[in-house]
Amino acid sequence: MKEASDYQAAPPLGIDPIGASTDSTALLYKVIREDIVSGRLKANQRLVVSDLAKRHGSSTTPVREVLQLLRGEGFVIFTRNRGARVRPIDRDFIRDIYEIGVLIEPSLTRWFVGMATEADIAELEAVQSQIEANNFADQVLHSELDTKFHTLIYQRHYNRHAAELWWKHREVLRAVSRRFGFTLARRAQVISDHRALITHIKAGNADRAAELMAQHVEGSGLHILEHMRAMAAARAG
């Protein structure tokens, strides 16, 4: 059975999911990123280019490129005279990421409401029916379907930079959230939010749809934060 880490979501049309210059660099990016998310590379650990190149059987050039890509996503921090280090994936980091989504996604949603066709709405309803049929039983499938649901809303937006920013931040949250399950309350809220969102889109109510999307994104971020708090409390004993 696939694990959540096996799932690689496809980005909206026209968006490079990584931005690496070569396929081998893209693969190296995924490996180092996974080492950070999984904790194999510890918070604040120095990332020495020559060491990483030796570990992964690579030259130093693609490693430098990967570190810059990870810097752009917030996983790596560069400090003057100290080089690169792993950014702690803490609650402040998650808060910063989801708060950007709260700003971006309502705007993308409002635009979609004004452009949505009957075919668009039918496709959203079809994906939502699949989400409900799965009912979170297969976490990988849910991740795929939930990503597809939101991508249908954002993929045609004229502001490709905003859509790309949404995608990259969503991927960060997805990478972190796969360590946690969905509470029953969050499962019910996701289903309810999606259904209400479709209703607002059908009615052409852009403001209500945008407001609901802001609440939905914030709820997702707070759900991750609650899991992180619980984990920290358990470790503290």
Side-chain angles (χ1 to χ4, degrees):
M1 182 176 178
K2 285 187 175 183
E3 300 293 336
S5 58
D6 295 327
Y7 172 63
Q8 298 295 326
L13 297 174
I15 291 179
D16 187 332
I18 297 174
S21 60
T22 65
D23 290 342
S24 60
T25 302
L27 179 60
L28 181 61
Y29 157 89
K30 292 177 183 178
V31 171
I32 295 177
R33 182 176 182 264
E34 179 60 25
D35 283 347
I36 293 174
V37 173
S38 67
R40 286 189 289 271
L41 288 172
K42 305 298 183 183
N44 294 310
Q45 180 175 335
R46 287 192 64 210
L47 298 169
V48 180
V49 171
S50 58
D51 291 349
L52 290 171
K54 183 177 180 180
R55 179 188 304 179
H56 297 292
S58 170
S59 65
T60 57
T61 298
V63 172
R64 289 193 179 93
E65 180 180 345
V66 165
L67 293 183
Q68 289 296 337
L69 291 171
L70 291 169
R71 180 188 192 184
E73 289 189 343
F75 284 114
V76 169
I77 298 174
F78 280 80
T79 306
R80 188 175 182 180
N81 299 324
R82 293 183 59 193
R85 61 186 175 90
V86 177
R87 192 224 194 273
I89 302 177
D90 54 17
R91 281 173 279 178
D92 287 344
F93 176 66
I94 297 302
R95 180 206 62 210
D96 291 349
I97 292 295
Y98 87 71
E99 283 185 352
I100 292 172
V102 170
L103 295 174
I104 293 175
E105 295 191 50
S107 178
L108 298 178
T109 300
R110 184 178 284 107
W111 182 87
F112 176 77
V113 173
M115 301 293 292
T117 65
E118 290 184 2
D120 292 330
I121 294 171
E123 192 168 4
L124 279 175
E125 289 180 322
V127 173
Q128 180 58 22
S129 293
Q130 293 177 66
I131 289 174
E132 293 173 13
N134 179 56
N135 196 27
F136 299 86
D138 184 332
Q139 296 286 329
V140 178
L141 178 59
H142 175 79
S143 180
E144 178 180 2
L145 293 171
D146 188 68
T147 298
K148 185 175 182 180
F149 183 91
H150 287 270
T151 299
L152 286 170
I153 298 173
Y154 307 146
Q155 66 182 356
R156 293 205 308 269
H157 198 279
Y158 64 88
N159 190 329
R160 304 314 295 158
H161 180 69
E164 181 173 354
L165 199 58
W166 160 74
W167 173 262
K168 289 185 179 298
H169 286 179
R170 179 181 178 85
E171 281 292 274
V172 170
L173 292 179
R174 190 186 68 79
V176 175
S177 66
R178 69 167 188 253
R179 293 183 289 176
F180 314 117
F182 287 89
T183 63
L184 292 177
R186 184 58 192 163
R187 293 181 183 190
Q189 193 63 57
V190 168
I191 298 299
S192 175
D193 285 352
H194 282 197
R195 279 296 172 189
L197 186 61
I198 291 173
T199 297
H200 294 325
I201 293 171
K202 279 184 174 180
N205 196 327
D207 289 339
R208 291 289 299 278
E211 180 182 0
L212 177 58
M213 185 60 79
Q215 295 170 359
H216 182 68
V217 175
E218 183 175 33
S220 178
L222 292 175
H223 182 257
I224 297 173
L225 289 182
E226 286 302 319
H227 276 291
M228 294 179 77
R229 288 191 190 99
M231 180 179 289
R235 288 174 177 170

